[in-house]
Every structure is written in C-alpha cells, then in structure tokens.
Amino acid sequence: MSLRSALRAQTADCHAAVDTLFGSFNLSRPQDYKAFLRAHAQVVPSVEHALEQAGIARLLPDWPERRRAHLLAADIRALDDRLPPLLPQPALHCDAAVWGAAYVLEGSKLGGALLAKAIPDHLPGSYLSPQGPKGAMRLFMDRLDGSNVDDPAAAITAARDVFDLFLKAGQLTLEAAPMEAVPTEAVQ
C-alpha cells in the first residue's frame, strides 16, 4: 500500500470531521469567513514552521512556493482583522511525520479550491485559491508515494495530529462566536 493510500485510509475519519466542522461556516457571510480564516490562522503558520524546522525543503524542494501562511495573513488583514494566537506546533521528529503533516496541508488546498467558490468576489480569497506551480499536487503525491518512509505509522500519527489541530481551532472559534447554521443543501 502506498503512503498516500495509507494516509487516506487511516485519516478518513479525521478528514470527515474537519470537513463537517468547517462546512458549518457560511463563507458567503463576512463574519463567518473571518472566523474561518482565524481558525486556520491558528494552525497553518504553526504547521508550516514545524515542517520547516523538520526539513521539509530537503524532501520537497518547491516548498517555498507551497507555503500559504502569508496568504492567510494577508486575507485576514484585508478584512481589517487581527491574527489570532497560534496553537502549538506538531512534533515532527522524522521524515515520515513530515510527510504526514504535509499531506494534510497540501490536501487542504483541494478543499480550499471548492470552498473558494462560496466567497463573494468583494472579499479577499488568496488563501483558499493560491496560484501554485502547475502540477504541484501531482508532484507532491508522486514524492509522497516515492518517499519510502520506514515508519508509515509516524506519518499517520502526524497527519492525525494536524487534523486534530484544525478541529481544535475550529471548535474554539465556534465556541467564541457561534455561526449561523448553513442550510443542508448548501453543504452538499
């Protein structure tokens, strides 16, 4: 089984929980969109920093073009909002863990592209619709599958930890400022 397949299978429950939680944000409403961005801003910079400290550039040479924390910060500032405090960085002690954490961040770009369609044109949307290098996702998946990590369990644990950070940030954000319910047909 490829690392990508193992990650997909072993984190499907986390992925579904994150999708459900963040699907409750009505991104067509500026306040909900701000809250959504603030929740992501508690996680993305921390994870990117942890990846950099653990040597992601060695594993993924185009890493600088893949970073999105600066796009997220720019969108938050464009909405006249402040950056929230960061959640703790995940512990990434081996290459397998780096791949697992990167898998979640890279995969979130696909979801972001779908969510970007709900954002009104007058709101900033560079974080959810970044212009990365052509074929970047395919290149990432090829490198992930070719990584030959010796501990797939460490990759899965790291991916689950990053999903958990997103869940925690989303839950904290919803507790601080509950969102209006999104009609069921809007989520589908």
Side-chain angles (χ1 to χ4, degrees), residues 48-75:
E48 285 186 357
H49 188 69
L51 286 166
E52 289 164 5
Q53 287 180 319
I56 186 71
R58 175 179 45 80
L59 303 175
L60 200 59
D62 65 347
W63 170 251
E65 293 98 38
R66 294 175 180 275
R67 297 181 75 238
R68 294 186 298 156
H70 65 288
L71 299 172
L72 180 55
D75 284 352

Short mmCIF file of all heavy atoms in Angstrom, two decimals, residues 48-75:
data_model
loop_
_atom_site.label_atom_id
_atom_site.label_comp_id
_atom_site.label_asym_id
_atom_site.label_seq_id
_atom_site.Cartn_x
_atom_site.Cartn_y
_atom_site.Cartn_z
N GLU A 48 3.36 24.99 9.24
CA GLU A 48 4.41 25.33 8.27
C GLU A 48 5.76 25.52 8.95
O GLU A 48 6.78 25.04 8.46
CB GLU A 48 4.02 26.59 7.48
CG GLU A 48 2.95 26.34 6.45
CD GLU A 48 2.66 27.54 5.57
OE1 GLU A 48 3.24 28.64 5.78
OE2 GLU A 48 1.83 27.40 4.65
N HIS A 49 5.76 26.18 10.10
CA HIS A 49 7.02 26.38 10.83
C HIS A 49 7.60 25.05 11.29
O HIS A 49 8.81 24.81 11.16
CB HIS A 49 6.80 27.33 12.01
CG HIS A 49 8.05 27.73 12.68
ND1 HIS A 49 9.00 28.55 12.09
CD2 HIS A 49 8.55 27.41 13.90
CE1 HIS A 49 10.01 28.71 12.92
NE2 HIS A 49 9.77 28.03 14.03
N ALA A 50 6.74 24.18 11.79
CA ALA A 50 7.22 22.85 12.23
C ALA A 50 7.79 22.07 11.05
O ALA A 50 8.83 21.42 11.18
CB ALA A 50 6.07 22.08 12.87
N LEU A 51 7.14 22.16 9.90
CA LEU A 51 7.64 21.48 8.70
C LEU A 51 9.01 22.02 8.31
O LEU A 51 9.91 21.26 7.96
CB LEU A 51 6.65 21.64 7.54
CG LEU A 51 5.39 20.79 7.62
CD1 LEU A 51 4.35 21.27 6.62
CD2 LEU A 51 5.71 19.32 7.40
N GLU A 52 9.16 23.33 8.38
CA GLU A 52 10.45 23.93 8.02
C GLU A 52 11.55 23.53 8.99
O GLU A 52 12.66 23.21 8.57
CB GLU A 52 10.30 25.45 7.92
CG GLU A 52 9.49 25.83 6.69
CD GLU A 52 8.96 27.25 6.70
OE1 GLU A 52 9.29 28.02 7.63
OE2 GLU A 52 8.20 27.56 5.77
N GLN A 53 11.24 23.52 10.26
CA GLN A 53 12.23 23.10 11.26
C GLN A 53 12.63 21.64 11.07
O GLN A 53 13.76 21.27 11.36
CB GLN A 53 11.68 23.30 12.68
CG GLN A 53 11.62 24.74 13.11
CD GLN A 53 11.08 24.86 14.52
OE1 GLN A 53 10.14 24.17 14.91
NE2 GLN A 53 11.68 25.75 15.31
N ALA A 54 11.70 20.83 10.57
CA ALA A 54 11.96 19.40 10.40
C ALA A 54 12.57 19.06 9.04
O ALA A 54 12.84 17.91 8.77
CB ALA A 54 10.67 18.61 10.60
N GLY A 55 12.78 20.07 8.19
CA GLY A 55 13.48 19.83 6.93
C GLY A 55 12.62 19.55 5.72
O GLY A 55 13.06 18.84 4.81
N ILE A 56 11.43 20.11 5.65
CA ILE A 56 10.56 19.86 4.50
C ILE A 56 11.22 20.28 3.18
O ILE A 56 11.03 19.62 2.17
CB ILE A 56 9.18 20.56 4.67
CG1 ILE A 56 8.21 20.18 3.53
CG2 ILE A 56 9.32 22.08 4.71
CD1 ILE A 56 7.70 18.80 3.58
N ALA A 57 12.02 21.32 3.19
CA ALA A 57 12.65 21.78 1.94
C ALA A 57 13.60 20.74 1.37
O ALA A 57 13.80 20.67 0.16
CB ALA A 57 13.38 23.10 2.17
N ARG A 58 14.15 19.90 2.23
CA ARG A 58 15.02 18.82 1.77
C ARG A 58 14.21 17.74 1.06
O ARG A 58 14.66 17.13 0.10
CB ARG A 58 15.76 18.25 3.00
CG ARG A 58 16.62 17.04 2.76
CD ARG A 58 17.31 16.60 4.05
NE ARG A 58 16.48 16.56 5.24
CZ ARG A 58 15.63 15.56 5.54
NH1 ARG A 58 15.50 14.54 4.74
NH2 ARG A 58 14.92 15.61 6.66
N LEU A 59 12.98 17.53 1.53
CA LEU A 59 12.12 16.50 0.96
C LEU A 59 11.29 17.02 -0.21
O LEU A 59 10.93 16.27 -1.10
CB LEU A 59 11.18 15.95 2.04
CG LEU A 59 11.83 15.37 3.28
CD1 LEU A 59 10.78 15.00 4.31
CD2 LEU A 59 12.69 14.17 2.91
N LEU A 60 10.99 18.30 -0.16
CA LEU A 60 10.10 18.91 -1.15
C LEU A 60 10.72 20.25 -1.55
O LEU A 60 10.42 21.29 -0.96
CB LEU A 60 8.73 19.10 -0.51
CG LEU A 60 7.52 19.28 -1.38
CD1 LEU A 60 7.32 18.10 -2.32
CD2 LEU A 60 6.28 19.46 -0.52
N PRO A 61 11.62 20.24 -2.54
CA PRO A 61 12.39 21.44 -2.88
C PRO A 61 11.55 22.67 -3.26
O PRO A 61 12.00 23.79 -3.09
CB PRO A 61 13.25 20.99 -4.07
CG PRO A 61 13.36 19.51 -3.92
CD PRO A 61 12.06 19.07 -3.32
N ASP A 62 10.32 22.46 -3.74
CA ASP A 62 9.50 23.61 -4.09
C ASP A 62 8.65 24.10 -2.91
O ASP A 62 7.67 24.83 -3.09
CB ASP A 62 8.62 23.31 -5.32
CG ASP A 62 7.59 22.22 -5.07
OD1 ASP A 62 7.70 21.51 -4.05
OD2 ASP A 62 6.68 22.09 -5.91
N TRP A 63 9.04 23.72 -1.71
CA TRP A 63 8.30 24.11 -0.52
C TRP A 63 8.02 25.61 -0.45
O TRP A 63 6.90 26.00 -0.12
CB TRP A 63 9.02 23.63 0.75
CG TRP A 63 8.42 24.22 1.98
CD1 TRP A 63 8.96 25.17 2.78
CD2 TRP A 63 7.12 23.94 2.52
NE1 TRP A 63 8.10 25.49 3.81
CE2 TRP A 63 6.96 24.75 3.66
CE3 TRP A 63 6.08 23.08 2.15
CZ2 TRP A 63 5.81 24.73 4.44
CZ3 TRP A 63 4.93 23.06 2.93
CH2 TRP A 63 4.80 23.87 4.05
N PRO A 64 8.97 26.49 -0.73
CA PRO A 64 8.68 27.93 -0.59
C PRO A 64 7.45 28.38 -1.40
O PRO A 64 6.71 29.25 -0.95
CB PRO A 64 9.95 28.62 -1.09
CG PRO A 64 11.03 27.62 -0.81
CD PRO A 64 10.39 26.27 -1.07
N GLU A 65 7.22 27.77 -2.56
CA GLU A 65 6.05 28.14 -3.36
C GLU A 65 4.76 27.54 -2.80
O GLU A 65 3.67 27.95 -3.18
CB GLU A 65 6.21 27.69 -4.82
CG GLU A 65 7.31 28.42 -5.56
CD GLU A 65 8.59 27.61 -5.60
OE1 GLU A 65 8.54 26.37 -5.75
OE2 GLU A 65 9.67 28.22 -5.47
N ARG A 66 4.88 26.57 -1.94
CA ARG A 66 3.71 25.88 -1.39
C ARG A 66 3.18 26.54 -0.12
O ARG A 66 2.05 26.28 0.28
CB ARG A 66 4.05 24.42 -1.11
CG ARG A 66 4.34 23.62 -2.35
CD ARG A 66 4.78 22.21 -2.02
NE ARG A 66 5.04 21.46 -3.21
CZ ARG A 66 4.11 20.81 -3.91
NH1 ARG A 66 2.87 20.82 -3.51
NH2 ARG A 66 4.45 20.16 -5.01
N ARG A 67 3.97 27.35 0.52
CA ARG A 67 3.58 27.97 1.78
C ARG A 67 2.36 28.87 1.58
O ARG A 67 2.24 29.53 0.56
CB ARG A 67 4.73 28.80 2.34
CG ARG A 67 5.94 27.94 2.68
CD ARG A 67 7.08 28.74 3.26
NE ARG A 67 6.72 29.07 4.64
CZ ARG A 67 6.65 30.31 5.10
NH1 ARG A 67 6.94 31.34 4.35
NH2 ARG A 67 6.31 30.53 6.35
N ARG A 68 1.48 28.91 2.58
CA ARG A 68 0.27 29.74 2.47
C ARG A 68 0.00 30.62 3.68
O ARG A 68 -0.95 31.39 3.67
CB ARG A 68 -0.95 28.85 2.24
CG ARG A 68 -0.92 28.14 0.92
CD ARG A 68 -2.22 27.40 0.67
NE ARG A 68 -2.44 26.38 1.68
CZ ARG A 68 -3.64 25.88 2.02
NH1 ARG A 68 -4.72 26.30 1.42
NH2 ARG A 68 -3.73 24.95 2.94
N ALA A 69 0.82 30.53 4.71
CA ALA A 69 0.56 31.35 5.90
C ALA A 69 0.54 32.84 5.55
O ALA A 69 -0.28 33.60 6.08
CB ALA A 69 1.59 31.07 6.98
N HIS A 70 1.41 33.25 4.64
CA HIS A 70 1.45 34.67 4.26
C HIS A 70 0.19 35.08 3.50
O HIS A 70 -0.30 36.21 3.66
CB HIS A 70 2.71 34.97 3.43
CG HIS A 70 2.75 34.29 2.10
ND1 HIS A 70 2.97 32.93 1.97
CD2 HIS A 70 2.58 34.76 0.85
CE1 HIS A 70 2.93 32.60 0.69
NE2 HIS A 70 2.69 33.70 -0.02
N LEU A 71 -0.40 34.17 2.72
CA LEU A 71 -1.65 34.47 2.02
C LEU A 71 -2.80 34.58 3.02
O LEU A 71 -3.65 35.46 2.91
CB LEU A 71 -1.96 33.38 0.99
CG LEU A 71 -0.94 33.18 -0.13
CD1 LEU A 71 -1.28 31.95 -0.96
CD2 LEU A 71 -0.85 34.42 -1.00
N LEU A 72 -2.80 33.70 3.98
CA LEU A 72 -3.80 33.71 5.04
C LEU A 72 -3.73 35.02 5.83
O LEU A 72 -4.75 35.68 6.06
CB LEU A 72 -3.57 32.49 5.93
CG LEU A 72 -4.47 32.24 7.11
CD1 LEU A 72 -5.93 32.20 6.69
CD2 LEU A 72 -4.08 30.93 7.78
N ALA A 73 -2.53 35.41 6.22
CA ALA A 73 -2.35 36.66 6.97
C ALA A 73 -2.80 37.86 6.15
O ALA A 73 -3.44 38.79 6.67
CB ALA A 73 -0.89 36.81 7.39
N ALA A 74 -2.49 37.86 4.87
CA ALA A 74 -2.89 38.98 4.00
C ALA A 74 -4.41 39.08 3.90
O ALA A 74 -4.97 40.18 3.94
CB ALA A 74 -2.26 38.82 2.62
N ASP A 75 -5.09 37.95 3.76
CA ASP A 75 -6.55 37.96 3.68
C ASP A 75 -7.15 38.48 4.99
O ASP A 75 -8.10 39.26 4.98
CB ASP A 75 -7.10 36.57 3.37
CG ASP A 75 -6.94 36.17 1.92
OD1 ASP A 75 -6.54 37.01 1.09
OD2 ASP A 75 -7.21 34.98 1.61
#
